[in-house]
Amino acid sequence: MNRASFLKRLLTIHIPAALVVLLAVGPFAWMVLTSLTPSADIVARGVSLTPAGWSADNYARLLGRTSFLANMGHSFIVALGTVALGLLVSVSAAYAFSRFRFPGRRLLMLQFLLVNMFPIVLLILPLFVLMRRFGILDTHLGLIIANATTAIPFAVWMLTSYVGAIPKSLDEAAMIDGCSRLSAMRRVVLPLALPGIISTGIYIFITAWNEYLYALTLGGRNVRTVTVAIQTLIGEFQIEWGLLAAGGVFGALPVTILFLLVQRRLVGGLTQGAVKG
C-alpha cells in the first residue's frame, strides 16, 4: 500500500470511524468514571481520567440508602409485561396483514406508521383520564398499556415485513394436512419468524425500559421505574454527580447486557425482515 492510498484510507475511513466510536462510547465512559470517583474528589477536582483513587462508595450509597433495586424491579415488570402484550398483539396483527387482503388494509398500515410521527405527550391526557376511570393509574398494568400504545404500531410494521417474507405455501400446505389456520400459524409460521419476533421483543423491551414521560405522569409513586428514580437523585439545591452516575450505570446495565447477548440474532432478524423473497 503506497503512502497516498494509506492517507486516503486514514482520512476517509479510520479517523471518521474513530470519531464515531468516541462520540458513542465517550459519554458512557465518562459516566462510569464519575460513578467510581469519590464524591469529595468530584467536588474538589471534578471528574478526571486519573483520579486520586477509585471508590465504590457511590454504588454502596445508591443501593443502601435508596430504593433503587425496587425501582429496577418495577422497570423489569413493566418492560417484560409490555413485551408480552406487544408481541401478542403485533404477531397476530402482522400475520393478518401479511396473509389476508381486505378493504382498508393499506390505510390501517399507514395509520400504524403515522402514529409514530406524533409525540407521546399528546396521549398522556387521554390515557390519564382513562386509567383513573378504570382504577389502574400508578399501577404496573397502567404503565404496560401506556408503553404498548407506542411500541405496538412500529412492532407491527417490523413483523409484517418479516412474516410476509415467509412463503404462504408453507401454511397452506399445513392446512391441507389438517391444521387449522391458527395451528398452521403456531406450528409453521411462528418458528420461522422467531428471529424477527425476538428482534421485535428486544425493541419493545428497550423502549419500555428507557421510557420516562409515561412513567413520570402515569406512575411515579407506587410504581416508580428506573428512569424516574434517577431523576429523583437530582436535588433542589445540590446534585450528587457520583450518585447520579451510579444510577445511570445501573439503569443502562440490563439493556447493555441484553443487547450483547442477542446482538447477532437482533441484527439478523432486522435485516432478514427488511428483505422479501
PDB file of all heavy atoms in Angstrom, residues 119-145:
ATOM      1  N   PRO A 119     -45.773  13.120  18.895  1.00  0.00           N
ATOM      2  CA  PRO A 119     -45.142  12.967  20.214  1.00  0.00           C
ATOM      3  C   PRO A 119     -46.092  12.304  21.198  1.00  0.00           C
ATOM      4  O   PRO A 119     -47.307  12.532  21.173  1.00  0.00           O
ATOM      5  CB  PRO A 119     -44.825  14.415  20.620  1.00  0.00           C
ATOM      6  CG  PRO A 119     -45.784  15.248  19.836  1.00  0.00           C
ATOM      7  CD  PRO A 119     -45.992  14.540  18.532  1.00  0.00           C
ATOM      8  N   ILE A 120     -45.513  11.484  22.089  1.00  0.00           N
ATOM      9  CA  ILE A 120     -46.353  10.739  23.024  1.00  0.00           C
ATOM     10  C   ILE A 120     -47.021  11.655  24.043  1.00  0.00           C
ATOM     11  O   ILE A 120     -47.977  11.229  24.706  1.00  0.00           O
ATOM     12  CB  ILE A 120     -45.529   9.661  23.752  1.00  0.00           C
ATOM     13  CG1 ILE A 120     -44.432  10.300  24.603  1.00  0.00           C
ATOM     14  CG2 ILE A 120     -44.947   8.673  22.778  1.00  0.00           C
ATOM     15  CD1 ILE A 120     -43.678   9.297  25.459  1.00  0.00           C
ATOM     16  N   VAL A 121     -46.557  12.895  24.148  1.00  0.00           N
ATOM     17  CA  VAL A 121     -47.175  13.813  25.102  1.00  0.00           C
ATOM     18  C   VAL A 121     -48.641  14.063  24.750  1.00  0.00           C
ATOM     19  O   VAL A 121     -49.458  14.385  25.626  1.00  0.00           O
ATOM     20  CB  VAL A 121     -46.383  15.141  25.156  1.00  0.00           C
ATOM     21  CG1 VAL A 121     -46.544  15.918  23.858  1.00  0.00           C
ATOM     22  CG2 VAL A 121     -46.804  15.982  26.345  1.00  0.00           C
ATOM     23  N   LEU A 122     -49.007  13.875  23.472  1.00  0.00           N
ATOM     24  CA  LEU A 122     -50.399  14.067  23.069  1.00  0.00           C
ATOM     25  C   LEU A 122     -51.314  12.993  23.642  1.00  0.00           C
ATOM     26  O   LEU A 122     -52.524  13.203  23.761  1.00  0.00           O
ATOM     27  CB  LEU A 122     -50.502  14.065  21.535  1.00  0.00           C
ATOM     28  CG  LEU A 122     -49.769  15.182  20.797  1.00  0.00           C
ATOM     29  CD1 LEU A 122     -49.913  15.002  19.292  1.00  0.00           C
ATOM     30  CD2 LEU A 122     -50.317  16.545  21.222  1.00  0.00           C
ATOM     31  N   LEU A 123     -50.743  11.827  23.999  1.00  0.00           N
ATOM     32  CA  LEU A 123     -51.553  10.726  24.506  1.00  0.00           C
ATOM     33  C   LEU A 123     -51.666  10.715  26.023  1.00  0.00           C
ATOM     34  O   LEU A 123     -52.467   9.960  26.581  1.00  0.00           O
ATOM     35  CB  LEU A 123     -50.952   9.389  24.047  1.00  0.00           C
ATOM     36  CG  LEU A 123     -50.865   9.133  22.543  1.00  0.00           C
ATOM     37  CD1 LEU A 123     -50.151   7.816  22.279  1.00  0.00           C
ATOM     38  CD2 LEU A 123     -52.250   9.119  21.921  1.00  0.00           C
ATOM     39  N   ILE A 124     -50.880  11.538  26.691  1.00  0.00           N
ATOM     40  CA  ILE A 124     -50.829  11.458  28.144  1.00  0.00           C
ATOM     41  C   ILE A 124     -52.164  11.816  28.784  1.00  0.00           C
ATOM     42  O   ILE A 124     -52.656  11.105  29.682  1.00  0.00           O
ATOM     43  CB  ILE A 124     -49.707  12.357  28.687  1.00  0.00           C
ATOM     44  CG1 ILE A 124     -48.346  11.747  28.348  1.00  0.00           C
ATOM     45  CG2 ILE A 124     -49.828  12.532  30.196  1.00  0.00           C
ATOM     46  CD1 ILE A 124     -47.183  12.575  28.823  1.00  0.00           C
ATOM     47  N   LEU A 125     -52.790  12.906  28.340  1.00  0.00           N
ATOM     48  CA  LEU A 125     -54.048  13.346  28.965  1.00  0.00           C
ATOM     49  C   LEU A 125     -55.164  12.316  28.789  1.00  0.00           C
ATOM     50  O   LEU A 125     -55.809  11.941  29.780  1.00  0.00           O
ATOM     51  CB  LEU A 125     -54.461  14.716  28.422  1.00  0.00           C
ATOM     52  CG  LEU A 125     -55.735  15.308  29.029  1.00  0.00           C
ATOM     53  CD1 LEU A 125     -55.584  15.450  30.542  1.00  0.00           C
ATOM     54  CD2 LEU A 125     -56.065  16.655  28.389  1.00  0.00           C
ATOM     55  N   PRO A 126     -55.437  11.836  27.558  1.00  0.00           N
ATOM     56  CA  PRO A 126     -56.495  10.819  27.444  1.00  0.00           C
ATOM     57  C   PRO A 126     -56.168   9.534  28.190  1.00  0.00           C
ATOM     58  O   PRO A 126     -57.059   8.922  28.788  1.00  0.00           O
ATOM     59  CB  PRO A 126     -56.602  10.577  25.935  1.00  0.00           C
ATOM     60  CG  PRO A 126     -55.365  11.134  25.343  1.00  0.00           C
ATOM     61  CD  PRO A 126     -54.945  12.239  26.240  1.00  0.00           C
ATOM     62  N   LEU A 127     -54.907   9.105  28.186  1.00  0.00           N
ATOM     63  CA  LEU A 127     -54.536   7.904  28.931  1.00  0.00           C
ATOM     64  C   LEU A 127     -54.712   8.126  30.433  1.00  0.00           C
ATOM     65  O   LEU A 127     -55.168   7.225  31.152  1.00  0.00           O
ATOM     66  CB  LEU A 127     -53.090   7.520  28.620  1.00  0.00           C
ATOM     67  CG  LEU A 127     -52.834   6.849  27.264  1.00  0.00           C
ATOM     68  CD1 LEU A 127     -51.332   6.668  27.040  1.00  0.00           C
ATOM     69  CD2 LEU A 127     -53.536   5.506  27.174  1.00  0.00           C
ATOM     70  N   PHE A 128     -54.360   9.303  30.906  1.00  0.00           N
ATOM     71  CA  PHE A 128     -54.504   9.614  32.337  1.00  0.00           C
ATOM     72  C   PHE A 128     -55.978   9.536  32.748  1.00  0.00           C
ATOM     73  O   PHE A 128     -56.316   8.949  33.783  1.00  0.00           O
ATOM     74  CB  PHE A 128     -53.934  11.003  32.625  1.00  0.00           C
ATOM     75  CG  PHE A 128     -53.978  11.391  34.071  1.00  0.00           C
ATOM     76  CD1 PHE A 128     -52.913  11.085  34.907  1.00  0.00           C
ATOM     77  CD2 PHE A 128     -55.076  12.066  34.604  1.00  0.00           C
ATOM     78  CE1 PHE A 128     -52.936  11.450  36.247  1.00  0.00           C
ATOM     79  CE2 PHE A 128     -55.107  12.425  35.944  1.00  0.00           C
ATOM     80  CZ  PHE A 128     -54.039  12.108  36.768  1.00  0.00           C
ATOM     81  N   VAL A 129     -56.853  10.116  31.931  1.00  0.00           N
ATOM     82  CA  VAL A 129     -58.286  10.118  32.252  1.00  0.00           C
ATOM     83  C   VAL A 129     -58.843   8.701  32.238  1.00  0.00           C
ATOM     84  O   VAL A 129     -59.581   8.291  33.145  1.00  0.00           O
ATOM     85  CB  VAL A 129     -59.050  11.016  31.258  1.00  0.00           C
ATOM     86  CG1 VAL A 129     -60.553  10.885  31.467  1.00  0.00           C
ATOM     87  CG2 VAL A 129     -58.617  12.469  31.408  1.00  0.00           C
ATOM     88  N   LEU A 130     -58.482   7.920  31.213  1.00  0.00           N
ATOM     89  CA  LEU A 130     -58.991   6.554  31.113  1.00  0.00           C
ATOM     90  C   LEU A 130     -58.486   5.682  32.260  1.00  0.00           C
ATOM     91  O   LEU A 130     -59.241   4.900  32.849  1.00  0.00           O
ATOM     92  CB  LEU A 130     -58.577   5.944  29.769  1.00  0.00           C
ATOM     93  CG  LEU A 130     -59.300   6.492  28.534  1.00  0.00           C
ATOM     94  CD1 LEU A 130     -58.665   5.940  27.262  1.00  0.00           C
ATOM     95  CD2 LEU A 130     -60.772   6.127  28.583  1.00  0.00           C
ATOM     96  N   MET A 131     -57.207   5.799  32.575  1.00  0.00           N
ATOM     97  CA  MET A 131     -56.643   4.957  33.632  1.00  0.00           C
ATOM     98  C   MET A 131     -57.192   5.334  35.004  1.00  0.00           C
ATOM     99  O   MET A 131     -57.399   4.459  35.852  1.00  0.00           O
ATOM    100  CB  MET A 131     -55.117   5.054  33.607  1.00  0.00           C
ATOM    101  CG  MET A 131     -54.503   4.370  32.407  1.00  0.00           C
ATOM    102  SD  MET A 131     -52.713   4.474  32.388  1.00  0.00           S
ATOM    103  CE  MET A 131     -52.380   3.699  30.793  1.00  0.00           C
ATOM    104  N   ARG A 132     -57.426   6.599  35.225  1.00  0.00           N
ATOM    105  CA  ARG A 132     -58.038   6.996  36.501  1.00  0.00           C
ATOM    106  C   ARG A 132     -59.462   6.476  36.598  1.00  0.00           C
ATOM    107  O   ARG A 132     -59.901   6.046  37.668  1.00  0.00           O
ATOM    108  CB  ARG A 132     -58.016   8.520  36.637  1.00  0.00           C
ATOM    109  CG  ARG A 132     -58.512   9.007  37.992  1.00  0.00           C
ATOM    110  CD  ARG A 132     -58.340  10.497  38.153  1.00  0.00           C
ATOM    111  NE  ARG A 132     -59.075  11.232  37.135  1.00  0.00           N
ATOM    112  CZ  ARG A 132     -59.114  12.572  37.063  1.00  0.00           C
ATOM    113  NH1 ARG A 132     -58.418  13.286  37.948  1.00  0.00           N
ATOM    114  NH2 ARG A 132     -59.788  13.182  36.114  1.00  0.00           N
ATOM    115  N   ARG A 133     -60.178   6.478  35.478  1.00  0.00           N
ATOM    116  CA  ARG A 133     -61.557   5.995  35.489  1.00  0.00           C
ATOM    117  C   ARG A 133     -61.615   4.493  35.752  1.00  0.00           C
ATOM    118  O   ARG A 133     -62.525   4.019  36.448  1.00  0.00           O
ATOM    119  CB  ARG A 133     -62.222   6.324  34.152  1.00  0.00           C
ATOM    120  CG  ARG A 133     -63.675   5.873  34.032  1.00  0.00           C
ATOM    121  CD  ARG A 133     -64.308   6.420  32.779  1.00  0.00           C
ATOM    122  NE  ARG A 133     -64.290   7.892  32.760  1.00  0.00           N
ATOM    123  CZ  ARG A 133     -64.722   8.614  31.731  1.00  0.00           C
ATOM    124  NH1 ARG A 133     -65.184   8.017  30.636  1.00  0.00           N
ATOM    125  NH2 ARG A 133     -64.673   9.929  31.783  1.00  0.00           N
ATOM    126  N   PHE A 134     -60.666   3.737  35.204  1.00  0.00           N
ATOM    127  CA  PHE A 134     -60.664   2.286  35.384  1.00  0.00           C
ATOM    128  C   PHE A 134     -59.843   1.843  36.600  1.00  0.00           C
ATOM    129  O   PHE A 134     -59.717   0.644  36.851  1.00  0.00           O
ATOM    130  CB  PHE A 134     -60.125   1.602  34.131  1.00  0.00           C
ATOM    131  CG  PHE A 134     -61.074   1.646  32.963  1.00  0.00           C
ATOM    132  CD1 PHE A 134     -60.856   2.509  31.911  1.00  0.00           C
ATOM    133  CD2 PHE A 134     -62.202   0.839  32.940  1.00  0.00           C
ATOM    134  CE1 PHE A 134     -61.725   2.555  30.832  1.00  0.00           C
ATOM    135  CE2 PHE A 134     -63.078   0.882  31.870  1.00  0.00           C
ATOM    136  CZ  PHE A 134     -62.858   1.749  30.818  1.00  0.00           C
ATOM    137  N   GLY A 135     -59.274   2.781  37.326  1.00  0.00           N
ATOM    138  CA  GLY A 135     -58.571   2.448  38.562  1.00  0.00           C
ATOM    139  C   GLY A 135     -57.222   1.787  38.365  1.00  0.00           C
ATOM    140  O   GLY A 135     -56.770   1.046  39.239  1.00  0.00           O
ATOM    141  N   ILE A 136     -56.555   2.051  37.243  1.00  0.00           N
ATOM    142  CA  ILE A 136     -55.240   1.442  37.005  1.00  0.00           C
ATOM    143  C   ILE A 136     -54.143   2.495  36.904  1.00  0.00           C
ATOM    144  O   ILE A 136     -53.045   2.212  36.408  1.00  0.00           O
ATOM    145  CB  ILE A 136     -55.248   0.561  35.732  1.00  0.00           C
ATOM    146  CG1 ILE A 136     -55.661   1.389  34.504  1.00  0.00           C
ATOM    147  CG2 ILE A 136     -56.158  -0.634  35.906  1.00  0.00           C
ATOM    148  CD1 ILE A 136     -55.548   0.619  33.193  1.00  0.00           C
ATOM    149  N   LEU A 137     -54.424   3.691  37.394  1.00  0.00           N
ATOM    150  CA  LEU A 137     -53.407   4.733  37.410  1.00  0.00           C
ATOM    151  C   LEU A 137     -52.355   4.398  38.461  1.00  0.00           C
ATOM    152  O   LEU A 137     -52.679   3.943  39.560  1.00  0.00           O
ATOM    153  CB  LEU A 137     -54.049   6.079  37.716  1.00  0.00           C
ATOM    154  CG  LEU A 137     -53.184   7.337  37.524  1.00  0.00           C
ATOM    155  CD1 LEU A 137     -52.813   7.510  36.067  1.00  0.00           C
ATOM    156  CD2 LEU A 137     -53.942   8.558  38.034  1.00  0.00           C
ATOM    157  N   ASP A 138     -51.100   4.607  38.121  1.00  0.00           N
ATOM    158  CA  ASP A 138     -49.972   4.324  39.013  1.00  0.00           C
ATOM    159  C   ASP A 138     -49.916   2.837  39.374  1.00  0.00           C
ATOM    160  O   ASP A 138     -49.690   2.469  40.525  1.00  0.00           O
ATOM    161  CB  ASP A 138     -50.051   5.178  40.272  1.00  0.00           C
ATOM    162  CG  ASP A 138     -48.695   5.285  40.983  1.00  0.00           C
ATOM    163  OD1 ASP A 138     -47.684   4.875  40.394  1.00  0.00           O
ATOM    164  OD2 ASP A 138     -48.671   5.769  42.131  1.00  0.00           O
ATOM    165  N   THR A 139     -50.140   1.993  38.366  1.00  0.00           N
ATOM    166  CA  THR A 139     -50.014   0.542  38.535  1.00  0.00           C
ATOM    167  C   THR A 139     -49.142  -0.006  37.412  1.00  0.00           C
ATOM    168  O   THR A 139     -48.909   0.658  36.387  1.00  0.00           O
ATOM    169  CB  THR A 139     -51.384  -0.160  38.494  1.00  0.00           C
ATOM    170  OG1 THR A 139     -51.976   0.032  37.192  1.00  0.00           O
ATOM    171  CG2 THR A 139     -52.306   0.386  39.563  1.00  0.00           C
ATOM    172  N   HIS A 140     -48.665  -1.238  37.606  1.00  0.00           N
ATOM    173  CA  HIS A 140     -47.882  -1.880  36.555  1.00  0.00           C
ATOM    174  C   HIS A 140     -48.712  -2.047  35.282  1.00  0.00           C
ATOM    175  O   HIS A 140     -48.214  -1.813  34.175  1.00  0.00           O
ATOM    176  CB  HIS A 140     -47.377  -3.248  37.028  1.00  0.00           C
ATOM    177  CG  HIS A 140     -46.392  -3.166  38.137  1.00  0.00           C
ATOM    178  ND1 HIS A 140     -46.654  -3.639  39.402  1.00  0.00           N
ATOM    179  CD2 HIS A 140     -45.134  -2.643  38.203  1.00  0.00           C
ATOM    180  CE1 HIS A 140     -45.614  -3.431  40.182  1.00  0.00           C
ATOM    181  NE2 HIS A 140     -44.671  -2.823  39.479  1.00  0.00           N
ATOM    182  N   LEU A 141     -49.966  -2.455  35.434  1.00  0.00           N
ATOM    183  CA  LEU A 141     -50.827  -2.662  34.269  1.00  0.00           C
ATOM    184  C   LEU A 141     -51.014  -1.373  33.486  1.00  0.00           C
ATOM    185  O   LEU A 141     -50.984  -1.373  32.247  1.00  0.00           O
ATOM    186  CB  LEU A 141     -52.181  -3.213  34.721  1.00  0.00           C
ATOM    187  CG  LEU A 141     -53.212  -3.449  33.609  1.00  0.00           C
ATOM    188  CD1 LEU A 141     -52.690  -4.454  32.590  1.00  0.00           C
ATOM    189  CD2 LEU A 141     -54.538  -3.910  34.199  1.00  0.00           C
ATOM    190  N   GLY A 142     -51.206  -0.258  34.197  1.00  0.00           N
ATOM    191  CA  GLY A 142     -51.386   1.011  33.507  1.00  0.00           C
ATOM    192  C   GLY A 142     -50.172   1.398  32.682  1.00  0.00           C
ATOM    193  O   GLY A 142     -50.296   1.820  31.517  1.00  0.00           O
ATOM    194  N   LEU A 143     -48.978   1.259  33.240  1.00  0.00           N
ATOM    195  CA  LEU A 143     -47.761   1.599  32.503  1.00  0.00           C
ATOM    196  C   LEU A 143     -47.522   0.630  31.345  1.00  0.00           C
ATOM    197  O   LEU A 143     -47.013   1.020  30.294  1.00  0.00           O
ATOM    198  CB  LEU A 143     -46.560   1.608  33.444  1.00  0.00           C
ATOM    199  CG  LEU A 143     -46.499   2.765  34.438  1.00  0.00           C
ATOM    200  CD1 LEU A 143     -45.264   2.652  35.314  1.00  0.00           C
ATOM    201  CD2 LEU A 143     -46.502   4.105  33.711  1.00  0.00           C
ATOM    202  N   ILE A 144     -47.882  -0.640  31.536  1.00  0.00           N
ATOM    203  CA  ILE A 144     -47.724  -1.617  30.455  1.00  0.00           C
ATOM    204  C   ILE A 144     -48.610  -1.236  29.271  1.00  0.00           C
ATOM    205  O   ILE A 144     -48.166  -1.230  28.114  1.00  0.00           O
ATOM    206  CB  ILE A 144     -48.065  -3.030  30.963  1.00  0.00           C
ATOM    207  CG1 ILE A 144     -46.965  -3.544  31.887  1.00  0.00           C
ATOM    208  CG2 ILE A 144     -48.255  -3.998  29.790  1.00  0.00           C
ATOM    209  CD1 ILE A 144     -47.317  -4.822  32.614  1.00  0.00           C
ATOM    210  N   ILE A 145     -49.854  -0.877  29.538  1.00  0.00           N
ATOM    211  CA  ILE A 145     -50.763  -0.472  28.462  1.00  0.00           C
ATOM    212  C   ILE A 145     -50.271   0.805  27.790  1.00  0.00           C
ATOM    213  O   ILE A 145     -50.302   0.928  26.556  1.00  0.00           O
ATOM    214  CB  ILE A 145     -52.189  -0.287  29.023  1.00  0.00           C
ATOM    215  CG1 ILE A 145     -52.744  -1.633  29.492  1.00  0.00           C
ATOM    216  CG2 ILE A 145     -53.108   0.329  27.976  1.00  0.00           C
ATOM    217  CD1 ILE A 145     -54.092  -1.531  30.188  1.00  0.00           C
TER     218      ILE A 145
END
